[in-house]
Amino acid sequence: MQSACLKTLELDKIIAKAADYCVCREAARTMRELTPQVDVDEVRYALEMTNAINTLLIQQGSPRFGGVEGVDTIASRAVKGGVLSMGELLEVAGALRNFQNLSNWYHTSDHEMLPTDDLFYSLSPQPGLEKQISDSILAPDQMADTASKTLLDIRKEIRKTENGIRDKLENFIHNTTSVKYLQETVVSMRNGRFVVPVKSEYRGEVQGVIHDVSSTGATVFVEPQAVVEANARILQYRAKETQEIERILTALSSQVAQIEPQFRYSYAAMLDIDVLLAKAKLALEQGSFMPQVSAKYSFHLERARHPLIDKSKCVPVDISLGEEYDTLIVTGPNTGGKTVSMKTAGLLCAMAQCGFLIPASENSQVCVFQDFLVDIGDEQSIEQSLSTFSGHMTKVAEILRLAGRGRLVLLDELGAGTDPGEGAALAIAIIESLRRSGALILATTHYAELKVFALETPGVVNASCEFNVETLRPTYKLSVGVPGKSNAFLISEKLGIPADIIDLARKHMSTDDKRLDAVLSQLDDLKLQLKESQAEIESLKYEAAHQLESAEKKRDALIEQGELELEVAREKARNLIQNVERQAYDLTDELRQLQKNEKLSAQQRAVRAREIAKKETEKLMAGAQPKAKKVAAFVPLKEVRIGQEVCIADMDQLAIVMALPDKNGEVLVRAGIMKTKVPLSNLKQPEKLAKNAPKAMTKAQKRYSRNTGDARGNGGRVERVKRSAKMELNLLGYTVDEALHEADMFIDQALMNGQSMVYLIHGNGTGALRTAIHKYLRGHRQVKSFRLGQYGEGESGVTVVEFK
């Protein structure tokens, strides 16, 4: 593909924005090397993968993912027998932690088979090795004492010996006899040995080894004879320590080498996932959706926005090409949005071919072009002695050479910069040649001849960027099927050109131009009338759809209520059957006892049997009759929140609130496996919670109340807004009470979402917030364990919580 044309479309800026979202530098490099794919199946697969990750991001939030670089090369070196440094092993541990975090994030919720399954199943977490490295190595230059028992023993001996040396030297420097020989009463280190500073004139008075001399020569640093042997032992221990560290590094490197094959595949999968996450995050920022991909060379974009323009200011446009027509001629005033509309179409198709979701309606459809041929902007070149017209024609000549089926051609102000008559004729000839080649064409122009050409030629359609004649400002809306006016006279008059000059200019217009201008004015009026009619139709359609949706909801509610009642009836029937079976056995036993009673005659036994049967039948019939259950007096709830446990009063059944009350006061609840709607007045507090008095609101709750003002219902009550699943909660800046309240709500939400692990970010500070959170976690019944973060996780500023 023509890289210059893709740059003109600003695809490089989109890719650069996505690369900024990548966590790993290698993934960012891969992102920057993206080019549009030209195979339909590959484009569909790339879009489906991005869409799958985008959906998971919306549902579960971002995964915990740390940046690493070149770790696959580190693992390869371990295979060749190389001993990895502590910093390199920490990088390996970071990558392994990423594998584990990504795998956990992907499996947080149950979902159907996704196109990204292969990537995430390629991840091979090694929690044992990751923990061993993280526990053994504290920093790139620091090995933990607990890395091995031998290392712990050696360091104990070193500290013991050093303490002994310091004690001896402290006694030496404070001794009244030797203090006069010293320059200062301090102990320092030279060449790894403890020394004291001695005045140079007294160097012979202090027995020992001189290790250094000051720059002035006034001080010599002497290792007293009393500590020479101890210092020598420290050097020996240091040598043993180095050997033990080398042995530990060798052992860890060997373990890395053993997992290198699966590590290499996991690392490649992690980088691909990083790229997909970056694409999905960009899609969330832009409000993008996945378009359909057509195997034909045609596209249809609904409510398409240019991704580099603020979406709050950008006016969406609808653009189609390739189905009913292969050429679209866009006209309208300057700065009216013609070029932006054309670039939007080309850029969105190129983005989709790179696997990006596009800022357009999900009903949009793109196709896979083999190339994008673009001539937009001023091609003037002083160095090459090219005027604006010459520059454009040089570019158009190259486009004509490359044009063909499967190419999208975008031409801005075709034929401009020369005699209008010749320029228009040349523009028409160029468009005809491009159409014969089979290319799809989008072109902008001000020439009336091209507007007429589009009106008269099958397969060529006019489009216009609308202009508000009252405010004399463009609306940036694209209307297909109607040619637009340049409105040069109106704009010039608005900018201060005298009215008499404007009137004189109108007189100089040819008769044909005046007729065309009148026809275009009539078309504008008809277009406004048509838009008003369309708006009215859309309003009626929306109202009808809303009423249909309301009726469907009521139908579904009745069905659910019927299913719940049916389940209750089935339960009663099961109980009745069990009762019948039990009483039937009792009746059989009683009849057998009656038959054994020899004192009664046969007739008396028969009468007695009928009495027993009648009596038991009446009991069964009485049990089968529906009974009106008396409901004990209770205090109905005035408000509920999603996820709250309540009791259905007339059924004495516990249930969970699934949705807030509707306009009829009906609350959707789940009782067991059944969902139903019940009146709010039929809900009460469960017995186990009824005795708990309401607590006063904390500062955090009051702030939560203020921030959720749009969720207030009758009486100013506050409804809790359900959060999407997150892996971490930032508590920096909160007071202890506020932080505990936020943590409590966050953990409740995580448990409802089925998460197994979360991260609480509290920082270091004075440690009061961390202590309060740890105390709260110890008393939480659903917390299995918690720990401070490790290297790369935030260390002591983060608490990692694991649930049961």
Side-chain angles (χ1 to χ4, degrees):
M1 286 194 177
Q2 302 294 309
S3 58
C5 293
L6 296 176
K7 188 173 183 179
T8 302
L9 290 176
E10 300 179 292
L11 179 63
D12 58 320
K13 294 182 180 179
I14 299 296
I15 292 175
K17 288 188 71 173
D20 290 339
Y21 280 114
C22 291
V23 177
C24 302
R25 292 183 182 179
E26 292 157 290
R29 284 197 294 269
T30 301
M31 181 74 78
R32 292 190 182 94
E33 294 170 359
L34 271 182
T35 55
Q37 301 181 62
V38 294
D39 182 81
V40 174
D41 292 333
E42 289 182 358
V43 171
R44 286 175 180 160
Y45 183 64
L47 286 171
E48 287 171 357
M49 293 182 74
T50 305
N51 190 56
I53 297 297
N54 182 62
T55 302
L56 289 175
L57 273 182
I58 295 172
Q59 293 174 347
Q60 303 174 185
S62 299
R64 255 182 111 78
F65 191 12
V68 291
E69 184 179 9
V71 188
D72 54 342
T73 306
I74 294 174
S76 298
R77 192 160 64 82
V79 173
K80 297 176 182 178
V83 178
L84 305 183
S85 66
M86 286 186 278
E88 290 173 331
L89 285 168
L90 285 176
E91 288 287 323
V92 172
L96 293 174
R97 193 177 303 116
N98 283 345
F99 301 165
Q100 185 69 59
N101 290 339
L102 287 173
S103 182
N104 291 342
W105 175 78
Y106 192 67
H107 298 97
T108 294
S109 61
D110 295 331
H111 46 70
E112 300 294 330
M113 185 173 66
L114 297 175
T116 50
D117 283 351
D118 287 345
L119 272 181
F120 282 90
Y121 289 140
S122 296
L123 298 173
S124 297
Q126 302 288 335
L129 179 57
E130 185 270 324
K131 186 176 186 305
Q132 186 177 356
I133 294 175
S134 300
D135 291 346
S136 301
I137 303 174
L138 303 179
D141 57 351
Q142 183 181 3
M143 180 76 74
D145 292 351
T146 55
S148 74
K149 186 178 182 306
T150 302
L151 183 62
L152 179 62
D153 294 340
I154 291 172
R155 287 182 173 176
K156 283 181 179 179
E157 290 298 326
I158 291 174
R159 284 190 286 270
K160 179 180 176 182
T161 306
E162 287 179 344
N163 290 334
I165 293 175
R166 284 194 182 94
D167 291 341
K168 289 182 179 180
L169 292 180
E170 285 292 327
N171 292 332
F172 179 82
I173 62 177
H174 292 99
N175 185 283
T176 54
T177 304
S178 58
V179 70
K180 62 183 178 181
Y181 305 135
L182 303 179
Q183 197 72 261
E184 294 179 88
T185 57
V186 295
V187 177
S188 58
M189 294 283 291
R190 287 294 186 275
N191 301 323
R193 289 176 174 262
F194 290 95
V195 296
V196 293
V198 178
K199 296 176 183 178
S200 58
E201 59 268 26
Y202 294 117
R203 70 176 64 187
E205 301 296 330
V206 178
Q207 298 297 316
V209 180
I210 298 175
H211 286 282
D212 200 2
V213 180
S214 67
S215 58
T216 60
T219 305
V220 292
F221 295 92
V222 178
E223 177 187 10
Q225 190 65 40
V227 297
V228 169
E229 183 179 351
N231 269 330
R233 284 202 307 274
I234 287 179
L235 290 179
Q236 293 175 354
Y237 288 137
R238 292 291 183 193
K240 291 181 180 180
E241 178 188 30
T242 302
Q243 292 176 357
E244 180 61 16
I245 290 175
E246 189 72 14
R247 186 195 67 77
I248 294 172
L249 294 178
T250 301
L252 292 175
S253 300
S254 176
Q255 292 185 59
V256 172
Q258 292 174 9
I259 65 165
E260 192 272 338
Q262 58 264 44
F263 182 89
R264 185 172 64 253
Y265 290 122
S266 298
Y267 192 76
M270 180 196 72
L271 295 179
D272 290 340
I273 292 169
D274 193 6
V275 170
L276 288 174
L277 283 168
K279 289 181 178 179
K281 290 174 183 176
L282 181 66
L284 288 178
E285 176 196 322
Q286 297 176 345
S288 300
F289 294 94
M290 183 180 78
Q292 301 299 314
V293 181
S294 173
K296 301 178 182 178
Y297 290 116
S298 64
F299 64 84
H300 171 66
L301 302 174
E302 290 185 13
R303 299 188 60 76
R305 293 179 288 103
H306 196 289
L308 297 177
I309 300 177
D310 185 351
K311 59 184 178 182
S312 63
K313 300 178 181 179
C314 185
V315 179
V317 295
D318 296 345
I319 308 176
S320 297
L321 198 61
E323 284 289 344
E324 299 176 1
Y325 47 89
D326 57 33
T327 302
L328 192 64
I329 306 295
V330 185
T331 54
N334 288 323
T335 70
K338 301 188 303 296
T339 304
V340 171
S341 298
M342 182 171 61
K343 290 178 71 173
T344 298
L347 177 57
L348 264 56
C349 289
M351 284 176 61
Q353 289 182 224
C354 290
F356 290 104
L357 306 188
I358 62 174
S361 167
E362 54 193 332
N363 297 323
S364 299
Q365 176 179 287
V366 298
C367 61
V368 179
F369 289 108
Q370 302 300 309
D371 207 347
F372 295 87
L373 306 175
V374 183
D375 177 28
I376 297 176
D378 190 357
E379 297 296 328
Q380 184 176 11
S381 173
I382 296 176
E383 293 179 355
Q384 299 180 22
S385 301
L386 293 176
S387 64
T388 299
F389 176 75
S390 300
H392 277 296
M393 287 303 103
T394 301
K395 194 68 174 288
V396 170
E398 180 69 10
I399 290 174
L400 288 169
R401 185 180 69 82
L402 297 173
R405 180 169 173 76
R407 271 70 179 175
L408 177 63
V409 179
L410 306 178
L411 302 170
D412 189 29
E413 303 291 355
L414 181 59
T418 187
D419 177 78
E422 293 181 357
L426 184 60
I428 292 172
I430 290 171
I431 289 176
E432 287 178 333
S433 175
L434 290 172
R435 292 189 68 206
R436 286 193 297 271
S437 71
L440 298 185
I441 307 158
L442 262 171
T444 67
T445 186
H446 287 285
Y447 290 143
E449 291 87 347
L450 281 174
K451 301 175 186 178
V452 175
F453 169 73
L455 289 171
E456 296 176 345
T457 308
V460 182
V461 173
N462 275 304
S464 60
C465 289
E466 297 178 5
F467 186 82
N468 190 324
V469 294
E470 295 180 359
T471 62
L472 296 182
R473 292 181 179 275
T475 64
Y476 304 105
K477 294 180 179 178
L478 186 69
S479 295
V480 178
V482 181
K485 296 172 60 178
S486 295
N487 292 297
F489 293 158
L490 287 172
I491 295 174
S492 299
E493 188 174 4
K494 180 72 174 178
L495 295 175
I497 301 297
D500 57 336
I501 295 179
I502 301 298
D503 293 338
L504 185 61
R506 286 195 175 96
K507 293 179 181 179
H508 284 295
M509 289 180 66
S510 65
T511 304
D512 290 340
D513 288 341
K514 290 179 180 179
R515 289 173 60 190
L516 179 61
D517 190 65
V519 169
L520 292 179
S521 297
Q522 293 177 6
L523 285 174
D524 282 340
D525 294 339
L526 290 173
K527 183 169 61 178
L528 290 175
Q529 296 176 13
L530 179 61
K531 283 204 165 186
E532 291 176 358
S533 300
Q534 287 178 337
E536 184 178 357
I537 292 171
E538 288 296 326
S539 177
L540 292 173
K541 284 174 62 179
Y542 175 79
E543 184 177 354
H546 182 70
Q547 292 177 353
L548 177 61
E549 182 181 0
S550 178
E552 288 176 345
K553 286 182 178 179
K554 289 181 180 179
R555 180 202 63 192
D556 294 341
L558 290 173
I559 291 174
E560 289 181 358
Q561 186 174 357
E563 289 177 348
L564 180 59
E565 292 175 354
L566 180 60
E567 181 63 25
V568 172
R570 285 172 177 164
E571 181 64 27
K572 288 183 178 179
R574 285 193 290 269
N575 293 335
L576 182 59
I577 290 171
Q578 292 175 0
N579 193 26
V580 168
E581 289 180 349
R582 185 180 67 254
Q583 295 189 21
Y585 286 124
D586 293 342
L587 181 58
T588 302
D589 292 340
E590 191 169 351
L591 289 174
R592 286 175 180 171
Q593 291 295 331
L594 187 60
Q595 288 175 354
K596 293 178 180 179
N597 191 347
E598 299 177 353
K599 296 180 180 179
L600 297 177
S601 64
Q603 183 178 0
Q604 289 175 327
R605 286 198 295 268
V607 171
R608 178 59 179 159
R610 281 195 296 270
E611 290 176 354
I612 294 173
K614 183 178 179 181
K615 180 182 177 182
E616 297 300 328
T617 301
E618 289 175 351
K619 287 183 181 179
L620 291 176
M621 292 301 293
Q625 294 298 325
K627 297 178 182 179
K629 185 176 181 180
K630 293 183 179 180
V631 180
F634 68 97
V635 179
L637 293 175
K638 295 181 179 179
E639 61 181 16
V640 293
R641 64 179 185 273
I642 296 174
Q644 179 180 351
E645 186 179 31
V646 296
C647 180
I648 305 173
D650 59 358
M651 297 176 61
D652 197 25
Q653 174 69 44
L654 293 178
I656 300 296
V657 176
M658 304 300 292
L660 300 178
D662 58 19
K663 60 182 181 181
N664 297 322
E666 299 282 330
V667 182
L668 178 64
V669 299
R670 187 185 73 232
I673 63 172
M674 302 303 298
K675 292 182 182 178
T676 186
K677 281 191 174 182
V678 296
L680 180 60
S681 59
N682 192 28
L683 296 179
K684 66 176 183 178
Q685 191 79 275
E687 293 296 330
K688 61 182 179 180
L689 299 177
K691 298 180 181 179
N692 293 338
K695 298 180 180 178
M697 293 176 67
T698 64
K699 293 180 181 178
Q701 288 173 319
K702 291 178 181 177
R703 182 173 66 242
Y704 180 77
S705 171
R706 291 196 297 270
N707 292 341
T708 55
D710 57 344
R712 295 180 182 271
N714 296 332
R717 84 171 172 264
V718 179
E719 308 293 354
R720 182 184 296 177
V721 179
K722 183 178 180 182
R723 307 191 204 179
S724 60
K726 301 288 184 182
M727 298 289 290
E728 64 184 39
L729 174 65
N730 191 338
L731 297 173
L732 298 178
Y734 284 79
T735 65
V736 170
D737 289 340
E738 292 171 344
L740 292 178
H741 175 69
E742 290 294 317
D744 184 59
M745 292 194 298
F746 177 72
I747 289 175
D748 285 350
Q749 188 64 48
L751 290 169
M752 289 179 64
N753 290 325
Q755 293 174 230
S756 61
M757 181 181 293
V758 295
Y759 296 79
L760 302 179
I761 303 173
H762 44 66
N764 291 315
T766 62
L769 182 57
R770 178 175 64 237
T771 302
I773 289 174
H774 285 188
K775 182 177 179 181
Y776 161 77
L777 293 174
R778 289 189 191 97
H780 201 292
R781 299 173 64 182
Q782 297 299 325
V783 173
K784 179 180 179 182
S785 64
F786 62 92
R787 60 176 175 81
L788 291 177
Q790 299 174 345
Y791 182 85
E793 288 184 322
E795 301 179 9
S796 60
V798 174
T799 294
V800 184
V801 185
E802 184 179 1
F803 300 130
K804 295 180 181 178

